[in-house]
Structure formats: structure tokens, C-alpha cells
Amino acid sequence: MLKLRALEPEDLEQLYAIENNLDDWEYSNMSAPFSRYVLRDYIANQHCDLTIDQQVRLVVCDDSDEQMVIGLADIFNFDARHRRAEIGLIIAKDFRSHGYAIKAAQLLVEYASRIGLLDQIYAFISEDNEPCCKVFDKIGFNRASILNNWFKNANSYSNSVIFQLFLKKD
């Protein structure tokens, strides 16, 4: 089983490795590596409050071993007026292709629903990132639109699929 938890100082090395994995940058907005100093400062100073930080970064970990960092889950670009936020999910390279992404994405949706501040969440995913697109399709997101030539890769561009999910309110 998996769970989401707040970042801890002990997560610094795993956070550093995941954030600075150049192979994953083509699917993100990263353009420069993070230093350990910047990441340590981020961990120390985050409030873990979407309304204060405008984002929440969570660790995807094994339920029975919280030190086993499987990936990272983010809620960011929080817009209080429109009650929406963007989400992101990355599974560490060693844990891919084991079904963790689907469970982690489901946990992130559940978390976004429970905080009560959001009516919808969305994600921009490269059309070329088929495994990720399949995860979002499987957990109920709608393909709302395509943005042509949205992501710049080494020698070309790729389209972005905008995935959108309206959160159920009880």
C-alpha cells in the first residue's frame, strides 16, 4: 500500500535525485537543477498549506516504510478564486512499471478532494508520455484539450494534453 505524507528533512537526497533527473525534464518545466541548499530551504520553510504556499508537495511512500520514497506528488498553481489547481506526479525511476503511479494519482485526487478548497484539478501532460496519459485516463480525468507544440524537447516540440477532473462534492 501507498500513502502520501509531508516532506521531511530526511527526504533531501531522494528529493534531490528525483528533481534533478535530466531524463524527466522533457515532461516538466524544469530548466536548471536544484541545489541541495535550495531543496533543504524549501523543506524547512514550507507550511504545507495550499492557501499560504500556493502549493503542496507530498511524498509518495510505502505505507509500511515511510522512508521508502516512491515518488512525489504536487498540487500547485492554486487559484482560490476559481477553486482549481494543477497537479503533478512523478514516480522515481526504480519504482516505475509496478502500478504505483495509478495508486499515487488516486491518492492525490483523494487528497485534493478532502482539503475542500478545490472544485477541479488539471494537469498538462506531454502527448508523447503515453504511460502518464494512460494513468490519467484510467483514474477518470477528461482530455479537455490539446495544446500544439507546447513542450520543447531536444530538437522538436511535443503537444500537451490538458487533463481535467471535477472533484465530487458531498
Side-chain angles (χ1 to χ4, degrees), residues 132-154:
C132 191
C133 288
K134 286 179 182 178
V135 166
F136 279 77
D137 285 332
K138 187 165 188 164
I139 65 169
F141 276 73
N142 295 313
R143 291 180 182 231
S145 187
I146 293 181
L147 298 170
N148 294 315
N149 296 330
W150 195 253
F151 292 110
K152 174 75 170 100
N153 303 318

Side-chain angles (χ1 to χ4, degrees), residues 94-113:
D94 292 345
F95 295 102
R96 293 180 187 164
S97 301
H98 299 298
Y100 291 124
I102 291 171
K103 181 60 179 168
Q106 289 169 330
L107 289 170
L108 186 56
V109 168
E110 182 181 316
Y111 178 84
S113 296

Side-chain angles (χ1 to χ4, degrees), residues 27 77 86-87 122-126 147 150-151 160-163:
Y27 299 122
N77 289 336
E86 188 171 350
I87 64 168
Y122 61 93
F124 292 84
I125 301 173
S126 175
L147 298 170
W150 195 253
F151 292 110
S160 175
V161 179
I162 301 174
F163 283 86

Side-chain angles (χ1 to χ4, degrees), residues 36-50:
R36 283 180 178 84
Y37 176 83
V38 166
L39 294 173
R40 186 179 304 116
D41 186 61
Y42 175 77
I43 292 170
N45 293 305
Q46 69 173 339
H47 294 93
C48 297
D49 185 324
L50 190 59

Side-chain angles (χ1 to χ4, degrees), residues 7-154:
L7 279 167
E8 298 287 351
E10 296 79 19
D11 298 322
L12 178 62
E13 289 307 314
Q14 292 99 328
L15 181 62
Y16 181 83
I18 292 170
E19 289 288 1
N20 292 319
N21 182 349
L22 292 172
D23 294 337
D24 294 328
W25 282 15
E26 71 179 279
Y27 299 122
S28 73
N29 290 325
M30 293 285 297
S31 60
F34 285 111
S35 68
R36 283 180 178 84
Y37 176 83
V38 166
L39 294 173
R40 186 179 304 116
D41 186 61
Y42 175 77
I43 292 170
N45 293 305
Q46 69 173 339
H47 294 93
C48 297
D49 185 324
L50 190 59
T51 59
I52 295 171
D53 297 326
Q54 305 297 297
Q55 68 176 18
V56 174
R57 166 152 294 174
L58 301 164
V59 172
V60 179
C61 65
D62 186 288
D63 197 14
S64 63
D65 181 2
E66 288 191 5
Q67 299 307 311
M68 182 184 299
V69 176
I70 292 168
L72 302 171
D74 298 315
I75 300 176
F76 58 104
N77 289 336
F78 172 60
D79 185 325
R81 178 174 178 232
H82 299 293
R83 297 180 55 89
R84 65 178 175 235
E86 188 171 350
I87 64 168
L89 176 66
I90 186 159
I91 302 298
K93 192 174 183 176
D94 292 345
F95 295 102
R96 293 180 187 164
S97 301
H98 299 298
Y100 291 124
I102 291 171
K103 181 60 179 168
Q106 289 169 330
L107 289 170
L108 186 56
V109 168
E110 182 181 316
Y111 178 84
S113 296
R114 282 188 170 182
I115 59 175
L117 299 170
L118 302 169
D119 291 335
Q120 62 178 294
I121 52 178
Y122 61 93
F124 292 84
I125 301 173
S126 175
E127 200 171 47
D128 297 342
N129 190 347
E130 291 177 28
C132 191
C133 288
K134 286 179 182 178
V135 166
F136 279 77
D137 285 332
K138 187 165 188 164
I139 65 169
F141 276 73
N142 295 313
R143 291 180 182 231
S145 187
I146 293 181
L147 298 170
N148 294 315
N149 296 330
W150 195 253
F151 292 110
K152 174 75 170 100
N153 303 318

